[in-house]
């Protein structure tokens, strides 16, 4: 099975190895991709641990799990990755339909490892003529809209 992050590698050799602690994320983009895969897998523990220490709140674990139980992740599109910033769109489906989590994330090195610091969220909607995030290959207006 290809990795959830969109890379063609097997999950266990890509983000799975990072999430399991067998290897480290060598770049902010690798960390962001592993965090997306952790969301897909529902691994709130990894999401907690991969954030900077000052932004870790124990209650976040339960909130992440609650959110993940209410949605289905559909895919990830990395818009750009430069130095310590990665912009992406993550597509998901909830009871109201398909939505986009569009964020520009900032990463820092802490204790020699890349960690998620914070992000800027954008209010982005799927346009009618965009490819449908469900992966059908159709335009959104002819598929899930």
């Amino acid at each position: 099975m290809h990795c959830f992050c969109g890379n063609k590698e097997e999950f266990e050799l890509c983000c799975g190895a990072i999430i399991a602690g067998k290897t480290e994320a060598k770049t902010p983009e690798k960390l962001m991709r592993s965090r997306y895969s952790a969301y897909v897998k529902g691994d709130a523990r990894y999401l907690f641990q991969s954030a900077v220490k000052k932004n870790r709140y124990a209650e976040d674990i339960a909130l992440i799990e609650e959110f993940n139980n209410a949605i289905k992740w559909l895919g990830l599109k990395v818009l750009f990755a430069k130095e310590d910033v990665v912009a992406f769109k993550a597509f998901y489906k909830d009871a109201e339909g398909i939505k986009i989590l569009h964020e520009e994330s900032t990463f820092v090195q802490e204790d020699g490892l890349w960690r998620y610091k914070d992000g800027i969220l954008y209010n982005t909607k799927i346009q009618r003529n965009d490819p449908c995030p469900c992966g059908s290959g159709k335009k959104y207006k002819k598929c899930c809209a």
Side-chain angles (χ1 to χ4, degrees), residues 2 13-14 33 42 62 82 119-120 128 143:
H2 293 292
L13 300 174
C14 189
R33 287 179 177 277
K82 58 181 180 182
I120 300 168
R128 292 172 31 85
C143 193

Side-chain angles (χ1 to χ4, degrees), residues 77 79-80 87-92 99-105 119-125:
K77 180 178 181 184
L79 304 174
F80 70 82
F88 66 91
K89 291 181 180 179
F91 301 91
Y92 65 94
K99 297 186 179 163
I100 301 174
L101 173 67
H102 181 182
E103 182 173 322
E104 193 170 301
S105 301
I120 300 168
L121 289 173
Y122 296 96
N123 186 11
T124 303
K125 297 187 189 242

Side-chain angles (χ1 to χ4, degrees), residues 39-90:
Y39 272 106
V40 173
K41 297 288 282 178
D43 193 333
R45 174 202 56 82
Y46 175 76
L47 293 163
F48 178 81
Q49 291 175 341
S50 62
V52 294
K53 290 176 185 170
K54 72 175 189 165
N55 292 343
R56 293 181 189 171
Y57 303 97
E59 61 269 14
D60 285 352
I61 293 173
L63 292 172
I64 291 166
E65 290 171 348
E66 182 180 334
F67 176 68
N68 264 356
N69 288 333
I71 67 160
K72 178 182 182 205
W73 291 100
L74 301 173
L76 175 69
K77 180 178 181 184
V78 176
L79 304 174
F80 70 82
K82 58 181 180 182
E83 296 178 20
D84 61 348
V85 177
V86 181
F88 66 91
K89 291 181 180 179

